[in-house]
Amino acid sequence: MELDLTWILLGLPTAFALGWIASRLDLRQMRIANRQAPRAYFKGLNHLLNEQQDQAIDAFIEAVQNDPDTSELHFALGNLFRRRGEYDRAVRVHEHLLSRADISQADRQRAQHGLALDYLKAGLLDRAEEALRKLEGTSYAGQARLARMAIYERSREWPEAAAVARLLEKSGEADFGVRLAHYQCEQAREAVQKGDSAKALEILAQTLQEHPRAARPRLLIGQLQLSQGQASAAYDSLSILFEHNDMTAPLAAASFAQAALASDKAASASTLLQAHYQRQPCIDVLDAITILETQNPPGSTQGEAATLQRYLDHLQNHPSMLAATRWLNGAQNEVGELPASVKKTLENATKPLARYRCAACGFEAKEHFWHCPGCQSWDSYPPRRVEEL
């Protein structure tokens, strides 16, 4: 009994001492970890400021390993992975955050937004759309709707894009009236491609009713009417663009001249075109004027002389390779027949000048685009040729 008591008396202090030593070791480890985490964090921040993303990622990974419960480090890592194009790693980081039950609602929404951006940048539009839908009713709802609208535009889902645009308008984000008009015009174009001109005209008429100041639906209506042999109706539709001095009128100049000739309204059309040219000199409008002068009556010598003089007058005030080439082509009686090599050289030289250029990204094209195929911007193409910009 005395032996047992002795062991008890010896064991209690020993156990206390061992417990104290263990606690000190734990405290020491915690202090070391706490020192290492900030050190790794600041190291990563320093690399990030120096634009050394590889080193920054390594430092943040080390910081996360030392303090796995810190959500801010996970967000930093996810953003870095996405910026580097490592979308699979960024997705894993944000999915890990969403799987945690200990993060706040604000951080959960932030992680959901980050996951949607990961999918969007990776080009996984279906997954991005699904992730963005989950942000409805959150502080990221406006951004999510704009991103969804961009997705629908890229995939040419115009009714869905219009629905989101109306939601944004209703929430007071901005006025999307012009964008909605474009969506309807795109649907009309698709109807024409499918051979349903009646549906296209119905859509465009509704668009004009809802957006009476929009120029594109009026232009499309006129061109569609002209293609269906309704020259007089096309003249009436397109003439409004010139009467209102619309900036996009030069895009309709050639169609307007054809409609005027077909409906015996060349004189009034020429008056409108000349008035517009005086306000906004433009090679497309000048070409339309010369078409009316040379073809009404056809082969008129007086008309051809007036045409040549118009191009010379244009050149005096607006030096233009396009105008000079047109003058040379029409002045063969005065300068003689141009050699084929000269014609080919002039044609090659003027081709780039006759293109249209996006003001947002510089993408050039032979035809005018309302929606830039390069940067996806709307109304970024000026209705003038590259030479006239």
Side-chain angles (χ1 to χ4, degrees), residues 176-210:
F176 288 90
V178 175
R179 189 77 64 90
L180 286 167
H182 279 306
Y183 293 159
Q184 291 172 295
C185 289
E186 292 293 339
Q187 293 179 65
R189 283 188 59 190
E190 291 178 354
V192 171
Q193 292 171 359
K194 294 177 182 178
D196 195 348
S197 299
K199 182 180 179 181
L201 282 173
E202 181 183 349
I203 294 173
L204 292 171
Q206 180 184 354
T207 306
L208 265 185
Q209 185 177 359
E210 296 174 356

PDB file of all heavy atoms in Angstrom, residues 176-210:
ATOM      1  N   PHE A 176     -31.650  49.916 -72.246  1.00  0.00           N
ATOM      2  CA  PHE A 176     -31.230  48.948 -73.252  1.00  0.00           C
ATOM      3  C   PHE A 176     -32.147  48.978 -74.476  1.00  0.00           C
ATOM      4  O   PHE A 176     -32.270  47.981 -75.182  1.00  0.00           O
ATOM      5  CB  PHE A 176     -31.207  47.540 -72.651  1.00  0.00           C
ATOM      6  CG  PHE A 176     -30.075  47.311 -71.684  1.00  0.00           C
ATOM      7  CD1 PHE A 176     -30.249  47.571 -70.332  1.00  0.00           C
ATOM      8  CD2 PHE A 176     -28.844  46.862 -72.125  1.00  0.00           C
ATOM      9  CE1 PHE A 176     -29.207  47.373 -69.438  1.00  0.00           C
ATOM     10  CE2 PHE A 176     -27.800  46.671 -71.239  1.00  0.00           C
ATOM     11  CZ  PHE A 176     -27.974  46.926 -69.894  1.00  0.00           C
ATOM     12  N   GLY A 177     -32.779  50.118 -74.740  1.00  0.00           N
ATOM     13  CA  GLY A 177     -33.694  50.218 -75.862  1.00  0.00           C
ATOM     14  C   GLY A 177     -33.022  49.946 -77.198  1.00  0.00           C
ATOM     15  O   GLY A 177     -33.546  49.190 -78.025  1.00  0.00           O
ATOM     16  N   VAL A 178     -31.855  50.551 -77.418  1.00  0.00           N
ATOM     17  CA  VAL A 178     -31.134  50.342 -78.681  1.00  0.00           C
ATOM     18  C   VAL A 178     -30.714  48.883 -78.822  1.00  0.00           C
ATOM     19  O   VAL A 178     -30.823  48.287 -79.901  1.00  0.00           O
ATOM     20  CB  VAL A 178     -29.907  51.268 -78.752  1.00  0.00           C
ATOM     21  CG1 VAL A 178     -29.084  50.982 -80.003  1.00  0.00           C
ATOM     22  CG2 VAL A 178     -30.337  52.729 -78.739  1.00  0.00           C
ATOM     23  N   ARG A 179     -30.251  48.303 -77.721  1.00  0.00           N
ATOM     24  CA  ARG A 179     -29.824  46.897 -77.751  1.00  0.00           C
ATOM     25  C   ARG A 179     -31.007  45.985 -78.070  1.00  0.00           C
ATOM     26  O   ARG A 179     -30.880  45.038 -78.849  1.00  0.00           O
ATOM     27  CB  ARG A 179     -29.218  46.533 -76.402  1.00  0.00           C
ATOM     28  CG  ARG A 179     -28.525  45.174 -76.352  1.00  0.00           C
ATOM     29  CD  ARG A 179     -27.163  45.207 -77.016  1.00  0.00           C
ATOM     30  NE  ARG A 179     -26.244  46.084 -76.339  1.00  0.00           N
ATOM     31  CZ  ARG A 179     -25.429  45.710 -75.345  1.00  0.00           C
ATOM     32  NH1 ARG A 179     -25.447  44.470 -74.904  1.00  0.00           N
ATOM     33  NH2 ARG A 179     -24.594  46.565 -74.800  1.00  0.00           N
ATOM     34  N   LEU A 180     -32.168  46.270 -77.482  1.00  0.00           N
ATOM     35  CA  LEU A 180     -33.354  45.462 -77.753  1.00  0.00           C
ATOM     36  C   LEU A 180     -33.757  45.557 -79.227  1.00  0.00           C
ATOM     37  O   LEU A 180     -34.182  44.562 -79.828  1.00  0.00           O
ATOM     38  CB  LEU A 180     -34.507  45.918 -76.860  1.00  0.00           C
ATOM     39  CG  LEU A 180     -34.402  45.509 -75.380  1.00  0.00           C
ATOM     40  CD1 LEU A 180     -35.422  46.273 -74.536  1.00  0.00           C
ATOM     41  CD2 LEU A 180     -34.628  44.010 -75.223  1.00  0.00           C
ATOM     42  N   ALA A 181     -33.611  46.747 -79.809  1.00  0.00           N
ATOM     43  CA  ALA A 181     -33.909  46.905 -81.236  1.00  0.00           C
ATOM     44  C   ALA A 181     -32.972  46.053 -82.076  1.00  0.00           C
ATOM     45  O   ALA A 181     -33.392  45.419 -83.063  1.00  0.00           O
ATOM     46  CB  ALA A 181     -33.794  48.374 -81.629  1.00  0.00           C
ATOM     47  N   HIS A 182     -31.710  46.002 -81.696  1.00  0.00           N
ATOM     48  CA  HIS A 182     -30.750  45.164 -82.426  1.00  0.00           C
ATOM     49  C   HIS A 182     -31.125  43.688 -82.319  1.00  0.00           C
ATOM     50  O   HIS A 182     -31.015  42.941 -83.300  1.00  0.00           O
ATOM     51  CB  HIS A 182     -29.343  45.377 -81.872  1.00  0.00           C
ATOM     52  CG  HIS A 182     -28.664  46.607 -82.391  1.00  0.00           C
ATOM     53  ND1 HIS A 182     -28.528  46.873 -83.737  1.00  0.00           N
ATOM     54  CD2 HIS A 182     -28.064  47.645 -81.749  1.00  0.00           C
ATOM     55  CE1 HIS A 182     -27.882  48.015 -83.902  1.00  0.00           C
ATOM     56  NE2 HIS A 182     -27.595  48.501 -82.710  1.00  0.00           N
ATOM     57  N   TYR A 183     -31.539  43.259 -81.147  1.00  0.00           N
ATOM     58  CA  TYR A 183     -31.922  41.859 -80.973  1.00  0.00           C
ATOM     59  C   TYR A 183     -33.060  41.489 -81.922  1.00  0.00           C
ATOM     60  O   TYR A 183     -33.067  40.417 -82.528  1.00  0.00           O
ATOM     61  CB  TYR A 183     -32.351  41.598 -79.532  1.00  0.00           C
ATOM     62  CG  TYR A 183     -31.248  41.715 -78.509  1.00  0.00           C
ATOM     63  CD1 TYR A 183     -31.541  41.932 -77.154  1.00  0.00           C
ATOM     64  CD2 TYR A 183     -29.910  41.621 -78.866  1.00  0.00           C
ATOM     65  CE1 TYR A 183     -30.543  42.039 -76.211  1.00  0.00           C
ATOM     66  CE2 TYR A 183     -28.898  41.738 -77.935  1.00  0.00           C
ATOM     67  CZ  TYR A 183     -29.220  41.954 -76.600  1.00  0.00           C
ATOM     68  OH  TYR A 183     -28.226  42.059 -75.658  1.00  0.00           O
ATOM     69  N   GLN A 184     -34.040  42.371 -82.029  1.00  0.00           N
ATOM     70  CA  GLN A 184     -35.170  42.099 -82.905  1.00  0.00           C
ATOM     71  C   GLN A 184     -34.745  42.111 -84.380  1.00  0.00           C
ATOM     72  O   GLN A 184     -35.240  41.317 -85.185  1.00  0.00           O
ATOM     73  CB  GLN A 184     -36.288  43.117 -82.653  1.00  0.00           C
ATOM     74  CG  GLN A 184     -36.956  42.928 -81.288  1.00  0.00           C
ATOM     75  CD  GLN A 184     -37.923  44.052 -80.953  1.00  0.00           C
ATOM     76  OE1 GLN A 184     -37.528  45.197 -80.795  1.00  0.00           O
ATOM     77  NE2 GLN A 184     -39.205  43.719 -80.845  1.00  0.00           N
ATOM     78  N   CYS A 185     -33.819  43.006 -84.729  1.00  0.00           N
ATOM     79  CA  CYS A 185     -33.304  43.037 -86.098  1.00  0.00           C
ATOM     80  C   CYS A 185     -32.548  41.752 -86.429  1.00  0.00           C
ATOM     81  O   CYS A 185     -32.634  41.243 -87.560  1.00  0.00           O
ATOM     82  CB  CYS A 185     -32.394  44.250 -86.299  1.00  0.00           C
ATOM     83  SG  CYS A 185     -33.265  45.830 -86.334  1.00  0.00           S
ATOM     84  N   GLU A 186     -31.817  41.226 -85.461  1.00  0.00           N
ATOM     85  CA  GLU A 186     -31.109  39.966 -85.675  1.00  0.00           C
ATOM     86  C   GLU A 186     -32.099  38.825 -85.896  1.00  0.00           C
ATOM     87  O   GLU A 186     -31.880  37.940 -86.735  1.00  0.00           O
ATOM     88  CB  GLU A 186     -30.200  39.663 -84.482  1.00  0.00           C
ATOM     89  CG  GLU A 186     -29.019  40.605 -84.314  1.00  0.00           C
ATOM     90  CD  GLU A 186     -28.002  40.468 -85.439  1.00  0.00           C
ATOM     91  OE1 GLU A 186     -27.992  39.419 -86.114  1.00  0.00           O
ATOM     92  OE2 GLU A 186     -27.215  41.414 -85.649  1.00  0.00           O
ATOM     93  N   GLN A 187     -33.194  38.839 -85.162  1.00  0.00           N
ATOM     94  CA  GLN A 187     -34.220  37.816 -85.371  1.00  0.00           C
ATOM     95  C   GLN A 187     -34.852  37.956 -86.753  1.00  0.00           C
ATOM     96  O   GLN A 187     -35.163  36.951 -87.412  1.00  0.00           O
ATOM     97  CB  GLN A 187     -35.297  37.944 -84.293  1.00  0.00           C
ATOM     98  CG  GLN A 187     -34.803  37.603 -82.887  1.00  0.00           C
ATOM     99  CD  GLN A 187     -35.890  37.756 -81.841  1.00  0.00           C
ATOM    100  OE1 GLN A 187     -36.883  37.030 -81.851  1.00  0.00           O
ATOM    101  NE2 GLN A 187     -35.718  38.713 -80.937  1.00  0.00           N
ATOM    102  N   ALA A 188     -35.024  39.193 -87.207  1.00  0.00           N
ATOM    103  CA  ALA A 188     -35.571  39.416 -88.543  1.00  0.00           C
ATOM    104  C   ALA A 188     -34.612  38.902 -89.614  1.00  0.00           C
ATOM    105  O   ALA A 188     -35.041  38.289 -90.605  1.00  0.00           O
ATOM    106  CB  ALA A 188     -35.847  40.903 -88.747  1.00  0.00           C
ATOM    107  N   ARG A 189     -33.329  39.128 -89.431  1.00  0.00           N
ATOM    108  CA  ARG A 189     -32.335  38.627 -90.386  1.00  0.00           C
ATOM    109  C   ARG A 189     -32.367  37.108 -90.457  1.00  0.00           C
ATOM    110  O   ARG A 189     -32.268  36.522 -91.543  1.00  0.00           O
ATOM    111  CB  ARG A 189     -30.935  39.094 -89.976  1.00  0.00           C
ATOM    112  CG  ARG A 189     -30.624  40.541 -90.288  1.00  0.00           C
ATOM    113  CD  ARG A 189     -29.180  40.848 -90.030  1.00  0.00           C
ATOM    114  NE  ARG A 189     -28.313  40.006 -90.835  1.00  0.00           N
ATOM    115  CZ  ARG A 189     -26.997  39.918 -90.671  1.00  0.00           C
ATOM    116  NH1 ARG A 189     -26.407  40.593 -89.705  1.00  0.00           N
ATOM    117  NH2 ARG A 189     -26.282  39.145 -91.450  1.00  0.00           N
ATOM    118  N   GLU A 190     -32.492  36.460 -89.314  1.00  0.00           N
ATOM    119  CA  GLU A 190     -32.567  35.004 -89.305  1.00  0.00           C
ATOM    120  C   GLU A 190     -33.823  34.513 -90.017  1.00  0.00           C
ATOM    121  O   GLU A 190     -33.805  33.491 -90.708  1.00  0.00           O
ATOM    122  CB  GLU A 190     -32.534  34.491 -87.862  1.00  0.00           C
ATOM    123  CG  GLU A 190     -31.183  34.697 -87.188  1.00  0.00           C
ATOM    124  CD  GLU A 190     -31.174  34.221 -85.741  1.00  0.00           C
ATOM    125  OE1 GLU A 190     -32.252  33.831 -85.234  1.00  0.00           O
ATOM    126  OE2 GLU A 190     -30.093  34.230 -85.117  1.00  0.00           O
ATOM    127  N   ALA A 191     -34.919  35.256 -89.864  1.00  0.00           N
ATOM    128  CA  ALA A 191     -36.153  34.892 -90.560  1.00  0.00           C
ATOM    129  C   ALA A 191     -35.979  35.004 -92.076  1.00  0.00           C
ATOM    130  O   ALA A 191     -36.471  34.156 -92.839  1.00  0.00           O
ATOM    131  CB  ALA A 191     -37.303  35.772 -90.085  1.00  0.00           C
ATOM    132  N   VAL A 192     -35.279  36.045 -92.524  1.00  0.00           N
ATOM    133  CA  VAL A 192     -35.016  36.212 -93.962  1.00  0.00           C
ATOM    134  C   VAL A 192     -34.168  35.058 -94.479  1.00  0.00           C
ATOM    135  O   VAL A 192     -34.416  34.510 -95.569  1.00  0.00           O
ATOM    136  CB  VAL A 192     -34.328  37.567 -94.235  1.00  0.00           C
ATOM    137  CG1 VAL A 192     -33.854  37.648 -95.679  1.00  0.00           C
ATOM    138  CG2 VAL A 192     -35.272  38.711 -93.934  1.00  0.00           C
ATOM    139  N   GLN A 193     -33.154  34.681 -93.711  1.00  0.00           N
ATOM    140  CA  GLN A 193     -32.290  33.570 -94.121  1.00  0.00           C
ATOM    141  C   GLN A 193     -33.065  32.264 -94.239  1.00  0.00           C
ATOM    142  O   GLN A 193     -32.713  31.390 -95.034  1.00  0.00           O
ATOM    143  CB  GLN A 193     -31.136  33.421 -93.124  1.00  0.00           C
ATOM    144  CG  GLN A 193     -30.147  34.572 -93.164  1.00  0.00           C
ATOM    145  CD  GLN A 193     -29.142  34.517 -92.028  1.00  0.00           C
ATOM    146  OE1 GLN A 193     -29.190  33.627 -91.178  1.00  0.00           O
ATOM    147  NE2 GLN A 193     -28.220  35.477 -92.004  1.00  0.00           N
ATOM    148  N   LYS A 194     -34.122  32.130 -93.455  1.00  0.00           N
ATOM    149  CA  LYS A 194     -34.967  30.927 -93.526  1.00  0.00           C
ATOM    150  C   LYS A 194     -36.049  31.048 -94.587  1.00  0.00           C
ATOM    151  O   LYS A 194     -36.852  30.133 -94.764  1.00  0.00           O
ATOM    152  CB  LYS A 194     -35.612  30.668 -92.165  1.00  0.00           C
ATOM    153  CG  LYS A 194     -34.610  30.309 -91.071  1.00  0.00           C
ATOM    154  CD  LYS A 194     -35.318  30.147 -89.726  1.00  0.00           C
ATOM    155  CE  LYS A 194     -34.318  29.826 -88.616  1.00  0.00           C
ATOM    156  NZ  LYS A 194     -34.973  29.719 -87.289  1.00  0.00           N
ATOM    157  N   GLY A 195     -36.069  32.198 -95.287  1.00  0.00           N
ATOM    158  CA  GLY A 195     -37.051  32.395 -96.344  1.00  0.00           C
ATOM    159  C   GLY A 195     -38.392  32.912 -95.881  1.00  0.00           C
ATOM    160  O   GLY A 195     -39.358  32.933 -96.656  1.00  0.00           O
ATOM    161  N   ASP A 196     -38.484  33.349 -94.641  1.00  0.00           N
ATOM    162  CA  ASP A 196     -39.752  33.856 -94.102  1.00  0.00           C
ATOM    163  C   ASP A 196     -39.709  35.384 -94.057  1.00  0.00           C
ATOM    164  O   ASP A 196     -39.561  35.998 -92.988  1.00  0.00           O
ATOM    165  CB  ASP A 196     -39.991  33.272 -92.706  1.00  0.00           C
ATOM    166  CG  ASP A 196     -41.430  33.451 -92.233  1.00  0.00           C
ATOM    167  OD1 ASP A 196     -42.160  34.217 -92.885  1.00  0.00           O
ATOM    168  OD2 ASP A 196     -41.805  32.840 -91.210  1.00  0.00           O
ATOM    169  N   SER A 197     -39.855  36.008 -95.216  1.00  0.00           N
ATOM    170  CA  SER A 197     -39.779  37.469 -95.300  1.00  0.00           C
ATOM    171  C   SER A 197     -40.953  38.135 -94.595  1.00  0.00           C
ATOM    172  O   SER A 197     -40.808  39.239 -94.049  1.00  0.00           O
ATOM    173  CB  SER A 197     -39.732  37.909 -96.764  1.00  0.00           C
ATOM    174  OG  SER A 197     -38.586  37.389 -97.410  1.00  0.00           O
ATOM    175  N   ALA A 198     -42.118  37.484 -94.624  1.00  0.00           N
ATOM    176  CA  ALA A 198     -43.298  38.062 -93.977  1.00  0.00           C
ATOM    177  C   ALA A 198     -43.071  38.207 -92.478  1.00  0.00           C
ATOM    178  O   ALA A 198     -43.399  39.237 -91.875  1.00  0.00           O
ATOM    179  CB  ALA A 198     -44.525  37.190 -94.243  1.00  0.00           C
ATOM    180  N   LYS A 199     -42.502  37.175 -91.864  1.00  0.00           N
ATOM    181  CA  LYS A 199     -42.218  37.246 -90.434  1.00  0.00           C
ATOM    182  C   LYS A 199     -41.173  38.318 -90.143  1.00  0.00           C
ATOM    183  O   LYS A 199     -41.275  39.048 -89.144  1.00  0.00           O
ATOM    184  CB  LYS A 199     -41.728  35.889 -89.921  1.00  0.00           C
ATOM    185  CG  LYS A 199     -41.446  35.866 -88.430  1.00  0.00           C
ATOM    186  CD  LYS A 199     -40.968  34.497 -87.967  1.00  0.00           C
ATOM    187  CE  LYS A 199     -40.676  34.511 -86.464  1.00  0.00           C
ATOM    188  NZ  LYS A 199     -40.183  33.186 -85.985  1.00  0.00           N
ATOM    189  N   ALA A 200     -40.166  38.418 -91.025  1.00  0.00           N
ATOM    190  CA  ALA A 200     -39.127  39.429 -90.842  1.00  0.00           C
ATOM    191  C   ALA A 200     -39.723  40.832 -90.867  1.00  0.00           C
ATOM    192  O   ALA A 200     -39.397  41.677 -90.027  1.00  0.00           O
ATOM    193  CB  ALA A 200     -38.063  39.285 -91.919  1.00  0.00           C
ATOM    194  N   LEU A 201     -40.614  41.102 -91.838  1.00  0.00           N
ATOM    195  CA  LEU A 201     -41.243  42.418 -91.916  1.00  0.00           C
ATOM    196  C   LEU A 201     -42.115  42.688 -90.689  1.00  0.00           C
ATOM    197  O   LEU A 201     -42.165  43.819 -90.193  1.00  0.00           O
ATOM    198  CB  LEU A 201     -42.100  42.503 -93.187  1.00  0.00           C
ATOM    199  CG  LEU A 201     -41.338  42.744 -94.494  1.00  0.00           C
ATOM    200  CD1 LEU A 201     -42.273  42.625 -95.681  1.00  0.00           C
ATOM    201  CD2 LEU A 201     -40.649  44.111 -94.488  1.00  0.00           C
ATOM    202  N   GLU A 202     -42.769  41.655 -90.198  1.00  0.00           N
ATOM    203  CA  GLU A 202     -43.590  41.817 -88.994  1.00  0.00           C
ATOM    204  C   GLU A 202     -42.732  42.189 -87.783  1.00  0.00           C
ATOM    205  O   GLU A 202     -43.082  43.098 -87.010  1.00  0.00           O
ATOM    206  CB  GLU A 202     -44.348  40.516 -88.728  1.00  0.00           C
ATOM    207  CG  GLU A 202     -45.258  40.569 -87.503  1.00  0.00           C
ATOM    208  CD  GLU A 202     -45.931  39.232 -87.228  1.00  0.00           C
ATOM    209  OE1 GLU A 202     -45.869  38.338 -88.094  1.00  0.00           O
ATOM    210  OE2 GLU A 202     -46.515  39.087 -86.131  1.00  0.00           O
ATOM    211  N   ILE A 203     -41.599  41.508 -87.644  1.00  0.00           N
ATOM    212  CA  ILE A 203     -40.696  41.802 -86.526  1.00  0.00           C
ATOM    213  C   ILE A 203     -40.152  43.224 -86.637  1.00  0.00           C
ATOM    214  O   ILE A 203     -40.099  43.972 -85.648  1.00  0.00           O
ATOM    215  CB  ILE A 203     -39.541  40.781 -86.486  1.00  0.00           C
ATOM    216  CG1 ILE A 203     -40.072  39.389 -86.155  1.00  0.00           C
ATOM    217  CG2 ILE A 203     -38.487  41.201 -85.461  1.00  0.00           C
ATOM    218  CD1 ILE A 203     -39.017  38.298 -86.266  1.00  0.00           C
ATOM    219  N   LEU A 204     -39.743  43.614 -87.840  1.00  0.00           N
ATOM    220  CA  LEU A 204     -39.159  44.938 -88.038  1.00  0.00           C
ATOM    221  C   LEU A 204     -40.188  46.049 -87.830  1.00  0.00           C
ATOM    222  O   LEU A 204     -39.858  47.110 -87.276  1.00  0.00           O
ATOM    223  CB  LEU A 204     -38.560  45.029 -89.443  1.00  0.00           C
ATOM    224  CG  LEU A 204     -37.326  44.148 -89.689  1.00  0.00           C
ATOM    225  CD1 LEU A 204     -36.953  44.145 -91.157  1.00  0.00           C
ATOM    226  CD2 LEU A 204     -36.154  44.615 -88.835  1.00  0.00           C
ATOM    227  N   ALA A 205     -41.415  45.799 -88.265  1.00  0.00           N
ATOM    228  CA  ALA A 205     -42.470  46.792 -88.049  1.00  0.00           C
ATOM    229  C   ALA A 205     -42.741  46.981 -86.560  1.00  0.00           C
ATOM    230  O   ALA A 205     -42.927  48.109 -86.080  1.00  0.00           O
ATOM    231  CB  ALA A 205     -43.748  46.364 -88.770  1.00  0.00           C
ATOM    232  N   GLN A 206     -42.752  45.883 -85.821  1.00  0.00           N
ATOM    233  CA  GLN A 206     -42.937  45.968 -84.368  1.00  0.00           C
ATOM    234  C   GLN A 206     -41.769  46.706 -83.715  1.00  0.00           C
ATOM    235  O   GLN A 206     -41.958  47.500 -82.789  1.00  0.00           O
ATOM    236  CB  GLN A 206     -43.075  44.564 -83.783  1.00  0.00           C
ATOM    237  CG  GLN A 206     -43.277  44.552 -82.269  1.00  0.00           C
ATOM    238  CD  GLN A 206     -43.322  43.139 -81.719  1.00  0.00           C
ATOM    239  OE1 GLN A 206     -43.319  42.162 -82.465  1.00  0.00           O
ATOM    240  NE2 GLN A 206     -43.338  43.025 -80.393  1.00  0.00           N
ATOM    241  N   THR A 207     -40.566  46.445 -84.224  1.00  0.00           N
ATOM    242  CA  THR A 207     -39.378  47.120 -83.689  1.00  0.00           C
ATOM    243  C   THR A 207     -39.472  48.627 -83.904  1.00  0.00           C
ATOM    244  O   THR A 207     -39.160  49.418 -83.000  1.00  0.00           O
ATOM    245  CB  THR A 207     -38.110  46.581 -84.366  1.00  0.00           C
ATOM    246  OG1 THR A 207     -38.065  45.165 -84.233  1.00  0.00           O
ATOM    247  CG2 THR A 207     -36.865  47.185 -83.735  1.00  0.00           C
ATOM    248  N   LEU A 208     -39.896  49.038 -85.085  1.00  0.00           N
ATOM    249  CA  LEU A 208     -40.044  50.475 -85.360  1.00  0.00           C
ATOM    250  C   LEU A 208     -41.107  51.105 -84.477  1.00  0.00           C
ATOM    251  O   LEU A 208     -40.978  52.255 -84.049  1.00  0.00           O
ATOM    252  CB  LEU A 208     -40.397  50.686 -86.832  1.00  0.00           C
ATOM    253  CG  LEU A 208     -39.244  50.971 -87.791  1.00  0.00           C
ATOM    254  CD1 LEU A 208     -39.773  51.265 -89.178  1.00  0.00           C
ATOM    255  CD2 LEU A 208     -38.371  52.107 -87.295  1.00  0.00           C
ATOM    256  N   GLN A 209     -42.149  50.344 -84.204  1.00  0.00           N
ATOM    257  CA  GLN A 209     -43.210  50.865 -83.343  1.00  0.00           C
ATOM    258  C   GLN A 209     -42.708  51.068 -81.916  1.00  0.00           C
ATOM    259  O   GLN A 209     -43.036  52.059 -81.264  1.00  0.00           O
ATOM    260  CB  GLN A 209     -44.406  49.908 -83.358  1.00  0.00           C
ATOM    261  CG  GLN A 209     -45.617  50.421 -82.589  1.00  0.00           C
ATOM    262  CD  GLN A 209     -46.804  49.472 -82.694  1.00  0.00           C
ATOM    263  OE1 GLN A 209     -46.732  48.440 -83.356  1.00  0.00           O
ATOM    264  NE2 GLN A 209     -47.896  49.818 -82.027  1.00  0.00           N
ATOM    265  N   GLU A 210     -41.894  50.138 -81.446  1.00  0.00           N
ATOM    266  CA  GLU A 210     -41.365  50.227 -80.085  1.00  0.00           C
ATOM    267  C   GLU A 210     -40.189  51.188 -79.993  1.00  0.00           C
ATOM    268  O   GLU A 210     -39.977  51.820 -78.948  1.00  0.00           O
ATOM    269  CB  GLU A 210     -40.944  48.835 -79.612  1.00  0.00           C
ATOM    270  CG  GLU A 210     -42.103  47.842 -79.490  1.00  0.00           C
ATOM    271  CD  GLU A 210     -41.621  46.446 -79.152  1.00  0.00           C
ATOM    272  OE1 GLU A 210     -40.380  46.241 -79.099  1.00  0.00           O
ATOM    273  OE2 GLU A 210     -42.476  45.550 -78.942  1.00  0.00           O
TER     274      GLU A 210
END
